[in-house]
Amino acid sequence: MKLLVTGGAGFIGSAVVRQAVARGHDVVNLDALTYAACLANVASVEESPHYRFEHADIRDRAALDRILADHAPDAILHLAAESHVDRSIDGPGTFIDTNITGTYTLLEAARGYWQAAGRPEGFRFHHVSTDEVFGSLPADPGTRFTEETPYDPRSPYSASKAASDHLVRAWAETYGLPILLTNCSNNYGPYHFPEKLIPVVILSALAGKPLPIYGDGSNVRDWLYVEDHADALLTVLGQGRVGRSYAIGGENERSNLELVQTLCDILDDLAPRGDGRPYSDLITFVADRPGHDARYAIDPSRIRRELGWRPSVTVEEGLRCTVEWYLANEDWWRPLQARAGVGTRLGTAP
């Protein structure tokens, strides 16, 4: 297939681009190159004849129309989004503009392109979303998000993603646009922008700085290795039923405190401190952020049953691979630490 991937210079988008090119798909990477994007994420494929890059914003309808006409993709994988909850608390307008207005603009461009092409049956608009649209779960391990869970977003970020999900479904129902929708759990892995929890912990530990944990560290997330997520997205794109949504989870629930302690143990093994003390000594509890959801967990039964997909690594295996990658790639993460807001506590506004 020829794929148009929006946000392909970001964390998850670049993993999709790399895997798609490796599998022989032609990929057009459309990215506005905002603060969290990095073309180094796709450096390994930039010379491939299967890869093209378009510097454009999903809010720019004229640019979208030109790119769709020039490249004639068989599918759109829509990953471009503002995604950091803490930043959404401090500046929600950017999230409304990109995640809602941007998705609307892309949907309209896709609809115009699809209709002009004669409504090809094989065309797909695959919208990539988050489990955060479903709200917060109780501690009971028997409760998990499914594709039927009612939406209950609780942050500006998750509300903007919920709105974009609703737009995508509306364009399917009203205009017949052939869509696919996926909601994933928390991603981690190589090329993770250094403002998110796992890279913050790794890089702070290496620098001998405090390892900040919000609240008491009891908040639980279902951790999904980014390469597994990219594989799941390409599986849904190739095999998923039109109009269907699929919840993609890592089947790896851990509290934030458990996660950080695991990272400390891995770092103790791979890069021990010069003074011989454990990295866990650096753990510091900080004020929680407003509206911090207690627990996310996904029931991935549908994607496992219908498409035969499930994650390939445990969180311990994935975290070790991630730590090894950051230890070997200082030339990637060091320059990013100078970008606006990185290393600064965000999301504390009342």
Side-chain angles (χ1 to χ4, degrees), residues 253-312:
E253 286 187 59
R254 298 291 187 278
S255 73
N256 287 344
L257 180 56
E258 290 172 329
L259 186 83
V260 172
Q261 289 172 329
T262 300
L263 284 169
C264 288
D265 291 344
I266 294 169
L267 284 161
D268 287 339
D269 182 37
L270 297 179
R273 297 171 69 184
D275 60 7
R277 297 179 66 84
Y279 283 102
S280 58
D281 282 358
L282 299 173
I283 291 175
T284 304
F285 296 95
V286 299
D288 211 349
R289 71 178 176 217
H292 196 179
D293 291 339
R295 176 172 168 257
Y296 303 145
I298 278 182
D299 179 351
S301 298
R302 175 179 289 179
I303 191 172
R304 183 169 63 240
R305 181 179 65 251
E306 295 185 8
L307 307 183
W309 183 89
R310 70 183 313 160
S312 69

Side-chain angles (χ1 to χ4, degrees), residues 61 65 68-69 72-73 107-120 123 175 177-178:
R61 177 61 188 273
D65 288 344
L68 288 167
L107 281 165
E108 279 292 86
R111 180 168 72 97
Y113 164 73
W114 173 65
Q115 290 176 336
R119 298 174 175 249
F123 180 77
Y175 304 111
L177 188 69

Side-chain angles (χ1 to χ4, degrees), residues 165 217 221 316:
D165 291 9
R221 300 294 182 260
E316 288 78 15

